[in-house]
Amino acid sequence: MLGGNGLIRTFLPQKRHRSREMALQLLYSLDLRRGQTPEQALELFPAEDDPEIQEYARILTCGAWERRREIDDLIREHVTGWRPERMLAVDRAALRMAIFESVMSNMIPIPVAISEAVELAKTFGAEESGKFVNGVLGRIVRALYPEGTDGGSEAKEQELPHDGTETPPADS
């Protein structure tokens, strides 16, 4: 069982989740320390034992950071009343990472990216961050893919809000 495919399948999602946790923290740091580069932020972050985790976090961080203006423009275009600059930094980082990982790079299915971003926002953000991130991503996905999320599972799609509203978390 140690070398079997079952173990790899159950372990990989945990590795990816850990990579996303790291990337979220790194994107948050980059957002607050404007003069820092992704490479400098990665050097300051505690080293991860697993090189696969660290490498995926690097890909997410660098990719989302390099394309942040494009991602922020996408947010502005599809979400009225909430410019990325007004959002909590943690929520902004979760949105940027999810949009980069799924919509821009097609690395994972959109429902998986939404689910992960919501969970990370709940863990690291304010009380309403999960709902806010879910609402913003739901609105963007519905605008970009009116016929569905191109191959996502029905179980994950139900996380998208059906009324199209999102309430931003209060600054704390």
Side-chain angles (χ1 to χ4, degrees):
M1 180 142 176
L2 288 175
N5 287 337
L7 182 63
I8 292 170
R9 284 192 190 116
T10 58
F11 189 61
L12 264 176
Q14 294 162 340
K15 284 185 173 187
R16 290 278 173 104
H17 182 77
R18 176 64 189 131
S19 295
R20 289 183 190 103
E21 285 179 338
M22 286 178 60
L24 180 86
Q25 293 171 56
L26 289 162
L27 288 166
Y28 176 86
S29 173
L30 287 165
D31 215 9
L32 298 181
R33 297 179 181 165
R34 291 293 177 160
Q36 193 175 48
T37 67
E39 292 75 20
Q40 290 168 332
L42 283 159
E43 287 176 16
L44 296 174
F45 202 83
E48 183 65 43
D49 290 337
D50 189 326
E52 288 178 357
I53 291 172
Q54 195 148 349
E55 177 59 14
Y56 197 68
R58 185 193 68 72
I59 290 167
L60 292 176
T61 302
C62 292
W65 189 249
E66 288 169 9
R67 298 188 70 183
R68 72 187 178 280
R69 286 182 181 84
E70 186 180 348
I71 294 167
D72 290 355
D73 287 345
L74 187 64
I75 293 169
R76 276 187 207 90
E77 180 182 341
H78 296 289
V79 182
T80 54
W82 282 102
R83 296 185 324 269
E85 308 81 48
R86 291 187 54 218
M87 296 175 184
L88 294 176
V90 170
D91 297 352
R92 194 168 43 243
L95 290 167
R96 286 173 174 165
M97 183 174 57
I99 292 169
F100 170 75
E101 189 177 20
S102 63
V103 173
M104 298 193 152
S105 69
N106 293 319
M107 292 165 55
I108 62 169
I110 290 169
V112 174
I114 292 171
S115 180
E116 283 287 313
V118 168
E119 285 306 310
L120 290 169
K122 285 178 183 177
T123 301
F124 293 99
E127 186 176 329
E128 297 296 316
S129 288
K131 290 179 186 176
F132 179 70
V133 166
N134 189 44
V136 171
L137 290 172
R139 183 169 286 180
I140 291 169
V141 168
R142 280 191 299 277
L144 295 176
Y145 306 100
E147 298 301 317
T149 58
D150 76 8
S153 71
E154 290 179 21
K156 294 291 184 182
E157 283 182 355
Q158 66 182 305
E159 289 206 13
L160 299 176
H162 297 288
D163 62 359
T165 61
E166 58 275 333
T167 305
D171 288 323
S172 353

